[in-house]
Amino acid sequence: MLSGGTGVSFLLKIRSIFVLLLIGGVWYVYGENFKLSDFQSIYEEIHSDVNQIIENPEVQATVVTVGEQVQRWFDELKGKLEDNIETQPKAKKPDLEEPSKQSFSVHNIEIGDSRSEVEKQAGSAKRASLNEYGVEWVAYHDNYQNFFMAAYNEENKVAGLYTNQDLLASTLDITFKSSRESVRATASEPLESIQKGLVSYKVQNDQEYDTFLIDNNYVTIFYDKHEDNRVTAIQIISGELEQQKEKFFTDPSPELKEGFEYQLFDLTNAARVNHGLSVLDWDESVRETARGHSKDMAGNHYFSHTNLEGQSPFDRMAEDGIAFSMAGENLAMGQVSSIFAHEGLMNSPGHRENILQKNYERLGVGVAFNEKSQPFYTENFLKK
């Protein structure tokens, strides 16, 4: 991260203001004499008096003291404004009810519900973007509060659900307060692999998530290592939709690249809101910088914040003409989707720190794929 200070320049501005006020006072005292006397003699008299005032140590100390006090007032005002931003009125959380047809619901929505039922409860969609299943994740939220995504099949029935906010209800008594141990004790055994035709795809077992087959749905429950391995997110994919996905990595397309970028952006903001932080603005310029780095890594077979030319993230942003006072970068590679990339980043201390950095204002996300269709993700955060 890079940051810059403003205290010294602020005091210089206060001193300049003082000098201007002093000149105004001098004009008030000597102005009439300009009408009655020789200009040169009056000028020399004013110049002498002003220098004596400005060079007086007590005057200089007073200017500095006033400047420091104004700086403190400015900092206090800025802090109050930031507090007001972070404590905006909260959207009303839905009253969660026990699912009636399935073992899990999100925002009282279950697999098989119609799109009209979803939007009757959650309102209009905020974004729709292509996912790895060949359908769209449709995002619903109120400025990233009550955030969840739904995927629909050809009949406009819910075939997928995801949330990283406390919108989960379950007949199995699994909630966002549940620990990994209690989930495993309550649910069936986690899957070790997913069979697709003649190919068996191994499910990664790194203790960050478990995938279960429940109600003929593939239910992936993510855990937060920084919160005692408690549930932090859930993805539910119908068996039919899962079987439509023939490969582990989906063939890339411009639509999928853009979908992964916007999904990672939305997930990041939903996580920030969870932690009482402000929502980041999308930055199109820095998205291009992020895309360029992802493309470079994918094409040249490396994975690093420093590219093969020795440039850091900050060098790349500066080269693209992006001004910032503070910046950071997150990288991920090989995760099957933005959901798995985001949840992995949240379990990594340095990446989590960037996601939850309260001073950041903007975010651009860039994705690229290598020849094996593996995605490379770059997040560039910044403050102007």
Side-chain angles (χ1 to χ4, degrees), residues 99-154:
S100 59
K101 306 184 289 288
Q102 303 272 325
S103 297
F104 297 96
S105 65
V106 171
H107 200 292
N108 295 325
I109 308 299
E110 301 178 42
I111 297 292
D113 286 350
S114 68
R115 183 164 186 162
S116 60
E117 291 177 279
V118 173
E119 300 195 344
K120 182 178 180 181
Q121 289 197 50
S124 300
K126 297 295 193 243
R127 192 196 309 279
S129 55
L130 189 67
N131 65 24
E132 70 275 19
Y133 290 98
V135 297
E136 292 179 330
W137 275 127
V138 182
Y140 300 90
H141 58 86
D142 183 354
N143 199 28
Y144 291 99
Q145 298 175 79
N146 297 327
F147 174 87
F148 73 98
M149 298 192 298
Y152 299 100
N153 62 19
E154 294 177 352

Side-chain angles (χ1 to χ4, degrees), residues 266-289:
D266 287 343
L267 298 175
T268 299
N269 270 331
R272 288 176 63 86
V273 167
N274 264 350
H275 289 81
L277 300 173
S278 59
V279 170
L280 301 176
D281 292 327
W282 177 261
D283 193 302
E284 187 65 27
S285 296
V286 83
R287 186 244 281 257
E288 293 306 316
T289 302

